[in-house]
Amino acid sequence: MLTHIRNAHIVDPANGRDEIGDLWIRDATIVVPPPGARADETVDASGLIAMAGGIDIHSHIAGANVNTARLMLPEQHRAHARRPVETPLSQVGWTTFETGRLYAEMGFTTVVEPAVAPHNALHAHLELADTPIIHKAILTLLGNDDFGLGLMRAGESASALRDHVAWTLQTTRALGIKVVNPGGVAAFKDNIRSFSFDDVVPYYGVTSRAIVKALQKAVHELGVPHPLHVHCNNLGLPGNFETALATIAAAEDLPLHLAHLQFYAYGKEGPQGFSSAAPQLAEAVNAAKSVTIDVGQAMFGQTVTISSDVLRQFSARGQARPKKWAIADGDSNGFGIVPYEYRAGGFHNAVQFAIGLELFLLIDDPSRVFFTTDHPNGAPFTTYPDLFALLMDKDVRAEWLSRLPKEALAVTTLPSLKREYTLSEIATMTRAAPAKLLGLPDRGHLGAGARADVALYRPGKDIAQMFRAAARVYKDGELVVLNGEVTRYAYGRALHVTPVVEASMRRRMRDYYDARYGLPSDLLRVPEGAIGRPQPFEAVACAN
Ligand SMILES: [Zn+2]
């Protein structure tokens, strides 16, 4: 099958294209224009913008934490009989099916679920397999687990830790490793309720800093393309920008990714002791070339916070809106689910909203700042179209700012920022850069050899509307969305790395699980047969 897309405005920064041109798709791949060939289908894309399919590097869409949130908030389900109002949260629909549909309709074709405890990997993969259209991946949690911290306590070699990381990645079929509140989650089990970067985890005798550095090095040395993905200590606390600054400094010259930086850009200035420290963090990120961040933008309306940061969620339970919450603990990471409503009229929420936008606008390089709302923690992913409009049009921003409390705007620099993202910068941030960050050379661009994941948008005065309903989306060369509606439900694959695992580590893990839990270590394994579909997985190469 040969498809010819004619006369589109091609926005493909990875290949230096921002021009009117054509795309040729043969089966699932973008190809060079075949001389003299006649297309089986020709699409006139005059007036449409063509980008590679969008890639979301951090969105909580599957697994035990998400499922608990679903169970706890039935009134937010699209299908719920008593659902009183349309909220940002209820718009996500809450099923795996709706998740795939809504992402595809916005032109997103790959999404990473970033927080899966090793023992929940199979569950997360089963849910992801049930999510149509998009390709997906998980990041597995380490850094608070007894086995890994035990290795550090015993002073074992860096190679032992590296083998454990490799075993975890391979067993759980993950694309990378995330650490959440490094050491803090483990310390919570000893009734510790506050934990910073140089605090020591009881019993294990290691600091957060040591955990981050050891895991960062292990991931790097294994050649895993995605750097260690860090959810820092002290999320949400005034003055916590110092923690983020210390973590950025600790990266030194090795790659490190900091998740949802908005939640760490809080100063203590101003009459309410809460202010934006986004300028200081943006300056540090601009200078630290090995560091990437995603924003975790907060948007207004009802949502729910879903986090493996048990310590943080336990502290935040009093802020639950509506007043119900769930905290669970376990080895590695438990979870905390706290529903929350961001209010435009509230001082703190308005400052949070401004901080996210400041980070987007003050970090110079769009290939190192990633587009996330930490779905659903800052806002559901269905708010992305509004966020694109806020970044691309300063008049849209001014209109939103006019609704916010003046005291909030006084403690941020947002009103003074005039930058507007270009289409090419948007495509860098949501296509080219995430493909590179995750190690997916055949995604995120429209050059020959790329997988034919393509989104066509119909531009207009209303930027949000353009990104809300793609004119056409192709996934692996198949048309799956037409005029903002899914027309075909294909299923994507789960992407994962396959580092070499030493036989000695397999034996150690078997013995550990047997001695500690009386369970086989195979319990954590995600077998291909569990998915019940041909080729549910796709291996991503490691550098080593
Ligand atoms: Zn997150």
Side-chain angles (χ1 to χ4, degrees):
M1 172 81 178
L2 185 64
T3 305
H4 181 192
I5 298 173
R6 289 182 58 239
N7 270 337
H9 174 187
I10 294 178
V11 183
D12 182 19
N15 292 299
R17 294 184 78 186
D18 190 347
E19 62 195 15
I20 305 296
D22 293 4
L23 287 175
W24 290 81
I25 298 172
R26 188 182 295 283
D27 302 326
T29 310
I30 294 175
V31 293
V32 290
R38 282 192 44 185
D40 299 299
E41 191 192 11
T42 301
V43 176
D44 180 10
S46 303
L48 301 184
I49 291 162
M51 294 186 186
I55 302 173
D56 190 341
I57 66 160
H58 190 121
S59 176
H60 300 273
I61 57 168
N65 307 5
V66 177
N67 242 1
T68 305
R70 285 179 174 129
L71 290 168
M72 216 172 82
L73 294 161
E75 70 276 16
Q76 294 295 330
H77 294 219
R78 190 182 290 272
H80 195 264
R82 288 186 294 122
R83 180 163 59 88
V85 286
E86 183 94 346
T87 70
L89 188 59
S90 71
Q91 284 166 8
V92 305
W94 281 100
T95 65
T96 49
F97 190 79
E98 289 279 281
T99 300
R101 179 179 76 82
L102 291 165
Y103 262 113
E105 289 178 356
M106 297 191 302
F108 277 73
T109 50
T110 305
V111 181
V112 177
E113 156 55 59
V116 177
H119 53 273
N120 285 327
L122 177 58
H123 173 185
H125 276 294
L126 288 169
E127 275 191 39
L128 289 174
D130 200 43
T131 305
I133 305 177
I134 53 174
H135 300 292
K136 42 256 166 167
I138 66 165
L139 304 181
T140 300
L141 298 168
L142 284 180
N144 289 293
D145 58 300
D146 171 66
F147 186 85
L149 293 179
L151 290 180
M152 295 179 71
R153 177 176 190 258
E156 290 210 34
S157 65
S159 72
L161 188 72
R162 200 166 60 227
D163 290 346
H164 180 231
V165 170
W167 179 86
T168 305
L169 284 165
Q170 203 199 58
T171 306
T172 62
R173 290 193 194 260
L175 191 58
I177 295 291
K178 183 189 190 194
V179 59
V180 169
N181 193 347
V185 168
F188 182 77
K189 298 180 208 305
D190 283 274
N191 286 323
I192 286 172
R193 297 293 177 257
S194 130
F195 196 83
S196 280
F197 199 48
D198 287 305
D199 288 346
V200 176
V201 188
Y203 176 70
Y204 298 104
V206 293
T207 61
S208 178
R209 180 187 296 273
I211 295 167
V212 168
K213 304 243 2 151
L215 284 174
Q216 177 197 27
K217 191 158 166 268
V219 168
H220 181 69
E221 287 176 356
L222 285 168
V224 176
H226 187 48
L228 179 67
H229 195 107
V230 184
H231 162 133
C232 298
N233 311 114
N234 290 327
L235 185 142
L237 303 180
N240 66 0
F241 75 102
E242 309 256 15
T243 306
L245 285 178
T247 312
I248 290 168
E252 299 186 270
D253 289 332
L254 286 187
L256 193 70
H257 181 82
L258 267 53
H260 40 70
L261 198 63
Q262 179 272 125
F263 290 108
Y264 301 96
Y266 303 156
K268 290 178 172 172
E269 308 297 318
Q272 305 222 32
F274 187 71
S275 59
S276 166
Q280 292 97 309
L281 283 186
E283 194 186 331
V285 172
N286 284 336
K289 303 295 182 207
S290 67
V291 171
T292 51
I293 69 112
D294 64 86
V295 169
Q297 175 71 34
M299 302 285 272
F300 302 115
Q302 178 68 51
T303 192
V304 57
T305 63
I306 297 177
S307 179
S308 303
D309 189 343
V310 187
L311 189 158
R312 159 66 193 170
Q313 294 294 72
F314 183 77
S315 308
R317 68 196 189 286
Q319 295 164 24
R321 303 172 187 160
K323 294 219 166 293
K324 46 184 171 180
W325 46 269
I327 306 287
D329 207 355
D331 186 26
S332 176
N333 281 79
F335 61 77
I337 313 297
V338 182
Y340 193 72
E341 185 188 355
Y342 292 93
R343 295 171 179 164
F347 170 80
H348 287 85
N349 295 160
V351 175
Q352 290 179 297
F353 169 81
I355 285 174
L357 293 176
E358 283 181 286
L359 290 171
F360 274 117
L361 298 167
L362 290 171
I363 295 175
D364 302 329
D365 180 355
S367 71
R368 292 202 292 123
V369 52
F370 290 85
F371 186 92
T372 66
T373 58
D374 190 14
H375 163 81
N377 291 314
F381 67 82
T382 42
T383 61
Y384 286 2
D386 288 318
L387 185 49
F388 284 124
L390 282 161
L391 296 177
M392 294 183 70
D393 188 336
K394 60 181 181 339
D395 295 337
V396 171
R397 274 204 306 272
E399 201 215 311
W400 282 58
L401 291 187
S402 69
R403 303 202 295 265
L404 305 183
K406 299 250 173 322
E407 331 62 275
L409 295 180
V411 294
T412 89
T413 65
L414 186 60
S416 70
L417 302 180
K418 300 290 179 250
R419 179 175 171 193
E420 294 179 324
Y421 269 67
T422 63
L423 278 173
S424 183
E425 287 177 322
I426 293 286
T428 297
M429 183 168 61
T430 56
R431 275 77 176 169
K436 205 164 158 223
L437 186 74
L438 299 172
L440 312 173
D442 61 346
R443 287 179 172 77
H445 70 97
L446 297 172
R451 179 179 303 270
D453 291 351
V454 182
L456 298 176
Y457 297 104
R458 186 166 286 114
K461 235 183 107 47
D462 186 344
I463 295 171
Q465 181 54 29
M466 159 176 143
F467 284 109
R468 192 169 289 123
R472 280 174 178 259
V473 178
Y474 292 85
K475 212 224 42 186
D476 288 332
E478 275 191 313
L479 183 70
V480 291
V481 171
L482 183 62
N483 296 326
E485 285 188 18
V486 170
T487 52
R488 176 173 158 68
Y489 285 95
Y491 281 85
R493 289 177 292 281
L495 311 166
H496 64 109
V497 290
T498 55
V500 176
V501 179
E502 299 294 328
S504 56
M505 184 52 66
R506 287 187 201 283
R507 281 195 297 277
R508 278 189 81 168
M509 296 315 293
R510 193 189 56 210
D511 294 347
Y512 171 80
Y513 274 93
D514 185 39
R516 181 60 58 102
Y517 299 111
L519 292 166
S521 58
D522 253 9
L523 182 78
L524 277 67
R525 215 163 61 78
V526 180
E528 184 155 321
I531 305 300
R533 190 177 298 133
Q535 296 182 314
F537 296 108
E538 182 178 323
V540 170
C542 286
N544 301 341

